[in-house]
Amino acid sequence: MNVGFVGTGTMGQPMVANLIRKGHAVLAYDIVPAALEAAAALGARTAGSAAEVAKRSELIITMLPSSPHVDAAFVGPGGVLEGAAPGHLCVDMSTIEPATSQRIAAAAKTRGVRFLDAPVSGGLPKAIEGTLTIMVGGNPTDLEEARPVLAALGSNIVHVGPVGSGEVAKICNNLIAGVAMVAVSEAFRIAEGFGVDPKILTEVISKSSGNTWAMLHGHPVPGMVPTSASNRDYAPGFTTDLMAKDLGLAVNAARQLRVPVCVAPAAQQLLRLASSHGLGRKDFSSVYTFLRPSSDRAPV
């Protein structure tokens, strides 16, 4: 299929590579010249705008950092909806506010354009492998049309419900993942202070009620799990800034629903503090390095 791809940054580049590897032709666009050049080096053709991508593609994928970026890419000047013809199918794989997905879907519908929200989980490692989990909101028939393309990007494709539902599933998942990583990091800092061997503590927790994906696969202490980002100077699978953003989406959604949340805002604030201390572009497990004990002279 001729696939249009808007947003060829950190996550977008391996996704473009997998589409090409699986035999799809890719026409790419990014507002950052270096990101677009990287896509071209992978074998993608390049376009001068999101509208041009939409006009020259059978299916359009967007993978962008935040709600304002997606808004601009779809409804801004030179946006996707400017170039998409009636009947075109757009799949936004960004993690954004559910309300933004619903608003863009409504704008697309007025032009006869179809829209799916399909955020992903698995971070950069799974994007490279092509084994992302993809959470889809929208018409099931549209999903079946997009499935052959999505299958080049992910091994688990789940239809969650109507437009916006994919985003809801993603922010709920990341609420748990972000909070869990903070909790694991705090626990291991406490154990470290008492001189407990982190390898022994990992063994204990892995067989106890505190066991969690964050520890087993993304262990924040270097040397515990071979595949963890902590062993590569916290090179990101998923950055601190992105996790702080996603926790913010969850907190905002809870406030709109008048659902009381306490742990998620605290974790978000801690990640934002870690970012302000230079860890924003590191993997979010690097919050462990931020949680160093203070000196005896400092207030706790």
Side-chain angles (χ1 to χ4, degrees), residues 69-93:
H69 292 98
V70 177
D71 253 330
F74 273 91
V75 301
V80 169
L81 295 187
E82 192 176 293
H88 257 132
L89 177 58
C90 301
V91 183
D92 178 43
M93 305 188 77

PDB file of all heavy atoms in Angstrom, residues 69-93:
ATOM      1  N   HIS A  69       0.438  19.450  18.311  1.00  0.00           N
ATOM      2  CA  HIS A  69       1.102  19.020  17.076  1.00  0.00           C
ATOM      3  C   HIS A  69       0.120  18.290  16.157  1.00  0.00           C
ATOM      4  O   HIS A  69       0.130  18.485  14.936  1.00  0.00           O
ATOM      5  CB  HIS A  69       2.275  18.090  17.398  1.00  0.00           C
ATOM      6  CG  HIS A  69       3.418  18.766  18.092  1.00  0.00           C
ATOM      7  ND1 HIS A  69       3.593  18.709  19.447  1.00  0.00           N
ATOM      8  CD2 HIS A  69       4.448  19.514  17.614  1.00  0.00           C
ATOM      9  CE1 HIS A  69       4.683  19.382  19.781  1.00  0.00           C
ATOM     10  NE2 HIS A  69       5.211  19.885  18.695  1.00  0.00           N
ATOM     11  N   VAL A  70      -0.714  17.439  16.744  1.00  0.00           N
ATOM     12  CA  VAL A  70      -1.683  16.686  15.932  1.00  0.00           C
ATOM     13  C   VAL A  70      -2.727  17.635  15.356  1.00  0.00           C
ATOM     14  O   VAL A  70      -3.108  17.528  14.184  1.00  0.00           O
ATOM     15  CB  VAL A  70      -2.340  15.566  16.771  1.00  0.00           C
ATOM     16  CG1 VAL A  70      -3.398  14.829  15.945  1.00  0.00           C
ATOM     17  CG2 VAL A  70      -1.281  14.580  17.256  1.00  0.00           C
ATOM     18  N   ASP A  71      -3.203  18.567  16.173  1.00  0.00           N
ATOM     19  CA  ASP A  71      -4.150  19.575  15.692  1.00  0.00           C
ATOM     20  C   ASP A  71      -3.586  20.298  14.478  1.00  0.00           C
ATOM     21  O   ASP A  71      -4.254  20.443  13.447  1.00  0.00           O
ATOM     22  CB  ASP A  71      -4.434  20.588  16.803  1.00  0.00           C
ATOM     23  CG  ASP A  71      -5.817  20.433  17.405  1.00  0.00           C
ATOM     24  OD1 ASP A  71      -6.744  19.998  16.681  1.00  0.00           O
ATOM     25  OD2 ASP A  71      -5.978  20.728  18.595  1.00  0.00           O
ATOM     26  N   ALA A  72      -2.347  20.780  14.597  1.00  0.00           N
ATOM     27  CA  ALA A  72      -1.726  21.532  13.506  1.00  0.00           C
ATOM     28  C   ALA A  72      -1.555  20.658  12.273  1.00  0.00           C
ATOM     29  O   ALA A  72      -1.772  21.121  11.141  1.00  0.00           O
ATOM     30  CB  ALA A  72      -0.376  22.081  13.965  1.00  0.00           C
ATOM     31  N   ALA A  73      -1.184  19.393  12.472  1.00  0.00           N
ATOM     32  CA  ALA A  73      -0.937  18.508  11.332  1.00  0.00           C
ATOM     33  C   ALA A  73      -2.209  18.181  10.571  1.00  0.00           C
ATOM     34  O   ALA A  73      -2.173  17.937   9.362  1.00  0.00           O
ATOM     35  CB  ALA A  73      -0.280  17.215  11.812  1.00  0.00           C
ATOM     36  N   PHE A  74      -3.340  18.180  11.254  1.00  0.00           N
ATOM     37  CA  PHE A  74      -4.603  17.840  10.588  1.00  0.00           C
ATOM     38  C   PHE A  74      -5.372  19.057  10.094  1.00  0.00           C
ATOM     39  O   PHE A  74      -5.801  19.097   8.934  1.00  0.00           O
ATOM     40  CB  PHE A  74      -5.488  17.007  11.523  1.00  0.00           C
ATOM     41  CG  PHE A  74      -5.208  15.541  11.459  1.00  0.00           C
ATOM     42  CD1 PHE A  74      -4.289  14.969  12.316  1.00  0.00           C
ATOM     43  CD2 PHE A  74      -5.841  14.723  10.533  1.00  0.00           C
ATOM     44  CE1 PHE A  74      -3.998  13.616  12.263  1.00  0.00           C
ATOM     45  CE2 PHE A  74      -5.569  13.372  10.457  1.00  0.00           C
ATOM     46  CZ  PHE A  74      -4.639  12.814  11.322  1.00  0.00           C
ATOM     47  N   VAL A  75      -5.573  20.048  10.960  1.00  0.00           N
ATOM     48  CA  VAL A  75      -6.480  21.139  10.604  1.00  0.00           C
ATOM     49  C   VAL A  75      -5.761  22.462  10.370  1.00  0.00           C
ATOM     50  O   VAL A  75      -6.394  23.447   9.987  1.00  0.00           O
ATOM     51  CB  VAL A  75      -7.574  21.319  11.682  1.00  0.00           C
ATOM     52  CG1 VAL A  75      -8.378  20.044  11.838  1.00  0.00           C
ATOM     53  CG2 VAL A  75      -6.984  21.725  13.028  1.00  0.00           C
ATOM     54  N   GLY A  76      -4.440  22.504  10.568  1.00  0.00           N
ATOM     55  CA  GLY A  76      -3.699  23.726  10.309  1.00  0.00           C
ATOM     56  C   GLY A  76      -3.448  23.922   8.822  1.00  0.00           C
ATOM     57  O   GLY A  76      -3.787  23.066   7.988  1.00  0.00           O
ATOM     58  N   PRO A  77      -2.860  25.065   8.466  1.00  0.00           N
ATOM     59  CA  PRO A  77      -2.518  25.312   7.053  1.00  0.00           C
ATOM     60  C   PRO A  77      -1.584  24.219   6.542  1.00  0.00           C
ATOM     61  O   PRO A  77      -0.608  23.870   7.195  1.00  0.00           O
ATOM     62  CB  PRO A  77      -1.804  26.669   7.101  1.00  0.00           C
ATOM     63  CG  PRO A  77      -2.271  27.316   8.373  1.00  0.00           C
ATOM     64  CD  PRO A  77      -2.482  26.201   9.344  1.00  0.00           C
ATOM     65  N   GLY A  78      -1.891  23.699   5.351  1.00  0.00           N
ATOM     66  CA  GLY A  78      -1.088  22.627   4.790  1.00  0.00           C
ATOM     67  C   GLY A  78      -1.251  21.316   5.505  1.00  0.00           C
ATOM     68  O   GLY A  78      -0.420  20.424   5.380  1.00  0.00           O
ATOM     69  N   GLY A  79      -2.364  21.179   6.249  1.00  0.00           N
ATOM     70  CA  GLY A  79      -2.595  19.983   7.039  1.00  0.00           C
ATOM     71  C   GLY A  79      -3.197  18.832   6.258  1.00  0.00           C
ATOM     72  O   GLY A  79      -3.581  18.975   5.091  1.00  0.00           O
ATOM     73  N   VAL A  80      -3.295  17.700   6.939  1.00  0.00           N
ATOM     74  CA  VAL A  80      -3.794  16.474   6.312  1.00  0.00           C
ATOM     75  C   VAL A  80      -5.171  16.674   5.690  1.00  0.00           C
ATOM     76  O   VAL A  80      -5.424  16.249   4.547  1.00  0.00           O
ATOM     77  CB  VAL A  80      -3.835  15.328   7.351  1.00  0.00           C
ATOM     78  CG1 VAL A  80      -4.607  14.126   6.798  1.00  0.00           C
ATOM     79  CG2 VAL A  80      -2.430  14.919   7.760  1.00  0.00           C
ATOM     80  N   LEU A  81      -6.073  17.324   6.409  1.00  0.00           N
ATOM     81  CA  LEU A  81      -7.443  17.454   5.908  1.00  0.00           C
ATOM     82  C   LEU A  81      -7.531  18.380   4.697  1.00  0.00           C
ATOM     83  O   LEU A  81      -8.526  18.357   3.970  1.00  0.00           O
ATOM     84  CB  LEU A  81      -8.374  17.934   7.024  1.00  0.00           C
ATOM     85  CG  LEU A  81      -8.547  16.967   8.197  1.00  0.00           C
ATOM     86  CD1 LEU A  81      -9.617  17.474   9.169  1.00  0.00           C
ATOM     87  CD2 LEU A  81      -8.910  15.568   7.710  1.00  0.00           C
ATOM     88  N   GLU A  82      -6.491  19.173   4.482  1.00  0.00           N
ATOM     89  CA  GLU A  82      -6.442  20.024   3.293  1.00  0.00           C
ATOM     90  C   GLU A  82      -6.182  19.189   2.040  1.00  0.00           C
ATOM     91  O   GLU A  82      -6.622  19.534   0.942  1.00  0.00           O
ATOM     92  CB  GLU A  82      -5.347  21.076   3.475  1.00  0.00           C
ATOM     93  CG  GLU A  82      -5.358  22.199   2.473  1.00  0.00           C
ATOM     94  CD  GLU A  82      -4.311  23.246   2.792  1.00  0.00           C
ATOM     95  OE1 GLU A  82      -4.456  23.930   3.831  1.00  0.00           O
ATOM     96  OE2 GLU A  82      -3.331  23.362   2.012  1.00  0.00           O
ATOM     97  N   GLY A  83      -5.477  18.066   2.212  1.00  0.00           N
ATOM     98  CA  GLY A  83      -5.120  17.249   1.059  1.00  0.00           C
ATOM     99  C   GLY A  83      -5.890  15.957   0.920  1.00  0.00           C
ATOM    100  O   GLY A  83      -5.905  15.358  -0.163  1.00  0.00           O
ATOM    101  N   ALA A  84      -6.526  15.516   1.994  1.00  0.00           N
ATOM    102  CA  ALA A  84      -7.215  14.225   1.968  1.00  0.00           C
ATOM    103  C   ALA A  84      -8.517  14.311   1.184  1.00  0.00           C
ATOM    104  O   ALA A  84      -9.301  15.249   1.348  1.00  0.00           O
ATOM    105  CB  ALA A  84      -7.497  13.751   3.390  1.00  0.00           C
ATOM    106  N   ALA A  85      -8.755  13.319   0.344  1.00  0.00           N
ATOM    107  CA  ALA A  85      -9.989  13.261  -0.439  1.00  0.00           C
ATOM    108  C   ALA A  85     -11.048  12.490   0.338  1.00  0.00           C
ATOM    109  O   ALA A  85     -10.735  11.711   1.241  1.00  0.00           O
ATOM    110  CB  ALA A  85      -9.709  12.561  -1.772  1.00  0.00           C
ATOM    111  N   PRO A  86     -12.331  12.704   0.010  1.00  0.00           N
ATOM    112  CA  PRO A  86     -13.393  11.919   0.650  1.00  0.00           C
ATOM    113  C   PRO A  86     -13.114  10.419   0.523  1.00  0.00           C
ATOM    114  O   PRO A  86     -12.710   9.939  -0.542  1.00  0.00           O
ATOM    115  CB  PRO A  86     -14.641  12.326  -0.129  1.00  0.00           C
ATOM    116  CG  PRO A  86     -14.351  13.715  -0.613  1.00  0.00           C
ATOM    117  CD  PRO A  86     -12.882  13.705  -0.931  1.00  0.00           C
ATOM    118  N   GLY A  87     -13.288   9.701   1.631  1.00  0.00           N
ATOM    119  CA  GLY A  87     -13.029   8.269   1.648  1.00  0.00           C
ATOM    120  C   GLY A  87     -11.662   7.897   2.172  1.00  0.00           C
ATOM    121  O   GLY A  87     -11.427   6.744   2.538  1.00  0.00           O
ATOM    122  N   HIS A  88     -10.745   8.859   2.199  1.00  0.00           N
ATOM    123  CA  HIS A  88      -9.412   8.596   2.733  1.00  0.00           C
ATOM    124  C   HIS A  88      -9.497   8.153   4.190  1.00  0.00           C
ATOM    125  O   HIS A  88     -10.355   8.598   4.947  1.00  0.00           O
ATOM    126  CB  HIS A  88      -8.528   9.843   2.639  1.00  0.00           C
ATOM    127  CG  HIS A  88      -7.535   9.792   1.528  1.00  0.00           C
ATOM    128  ND1 HIS A  88      -7.346  10.836   0.644  1.00  0.00           N
ATOM    129  CD2 HIS A  88      -6.653   8.841   1.148  1.00  0.00           C
ATOM    130  CE1 HIS A  88      -6.401  10.524  -0.227  1.00  0.00           C
ATOM    131  NE2 HIS A  88      -5.973   9.310   0.059  1.00  0.00           N
ATOM    132  N   LEU A  89      -8.556   7.297   4.612  1.00  0.00           N
ATOM    133  CA  LEU A  89      -8.495   6.820   5.987  1.00  0.00           C
ATOM    134  C   LEU A  89      -7.229   7.354   6.649  1.00  0.00           C
ATOM    135  O   LEU A  89      -6.122   7.174   6.128  1.00  0.00           O
ATOM    136  CB  LEU A  89      -8.508   5.290   6.034  1.00  0.00           C
ATOM    137  CG  LEU A  89      -8.373   4.640   7.424  1.00  0.00           C
ATOM    138  CD1 LEU A  89      -9.487   5.102   8.355  1.00  0.00           C
ATOM    139  CD2 LEU A  89      -8.382   3.115   7.293  1.00  0.00           C
ATOM    140  N   CYS A  90      -7.400   8.007   7.801  1.00  0.00           N
ATOM    141  CA  CYS A  90      -6.289   8.553   8.570  1.00  0.00           C
ATOM    142  C   CYS A  90      -6.169   7.798   9.887  1.00  0.00           C
ATOM    143  O   CYS A  90      -7.183   7.534  10.548  1.00  0.00           O
ATOM    144  CB  CYS A  90      -6.503  10.037   8.864  1.00  0.00           C
ATOM    145  SG  CYS A  90      -6.690  11.077   7.391  1.00  0.00           S
ATOM    146  N   VAL A  91      -4.950   7.478  10.268  1.00  0.00           N
ATOM    147  CA  VAL A  91      -4.697   6.765  11.518  1.00  0.00           C
ATOM    148  C   VAL A  91      -3.698   7.573  12.328  1.00  0.00           C
ATOM    149  O   VAL A  91      -2.525   7.679  11.955  1.00  0.00           O
ATOM    150  CB  VAL A  91      -4.137   5.346  11.262  1.00  0.00           C
ATOM    151  CG1 VAL A  91      -3.958   4.600  12.585  1.00  0.00           C
ATOM    152  CG2 VAL A  91      -5.038   4.568  10.312  1.00  0.00           C
ATOM    153  N   ASP A  92      -4.167   8.163  13.427  1.00  0.00           N
ATOM    154  CA  ASP A  92      -3.255   8.917  14.287  1.00  0.00           C
ATOM    155  C   ASP A  92      -2.742   8.007  15.392  1.00  0.00           C
ATOM    156  O   ASP A  92      -3.520   7.498  16.200  1.00  0.00           O
ATOM    157  CB  ASP A  92      -3.957  10.126  14.896  1.00  0.00           C
ATOM    158  CG  ASP A  92      -3.037  10.883  15.836  1.00  0.00           C
ATOM    159  OD1 ASP A  92      -1.857  11.071  15.468  1.00  0.00           O
ATOM    160  OD2 ASP A  92      -3.483  11.259  16.943  1.00  0.00           O
ATOM    161  N   MET A  93      -1.426   7.805  15.428  1.00  0.00           N
ATOM    162  CA  MET A  93      -0.813   6.896  16.391  1.00  0.00           C
ATOM    163  C   MET A  93      -0.115   7.649  17.524  1.00  0.00           C
ATOM    164  O   MET A  93       0.624   7.055  18.314  1.00  0.00           O
ATOM    165  CB  MET A  93       0.144   5.945  15.660  1.00  0.00           C
ATOM    166  CG  MET A  93      -0.536   5.193  14.523  1.00  0.00           C
ATOM    167  SD  MET A  93       0.442   3.886  13.765  1.00  0.00           S
ATOM    168  CE  MET A  93       0.293   2.590  14.999  1.00  0.00           C
TER     169      MET A  93
END
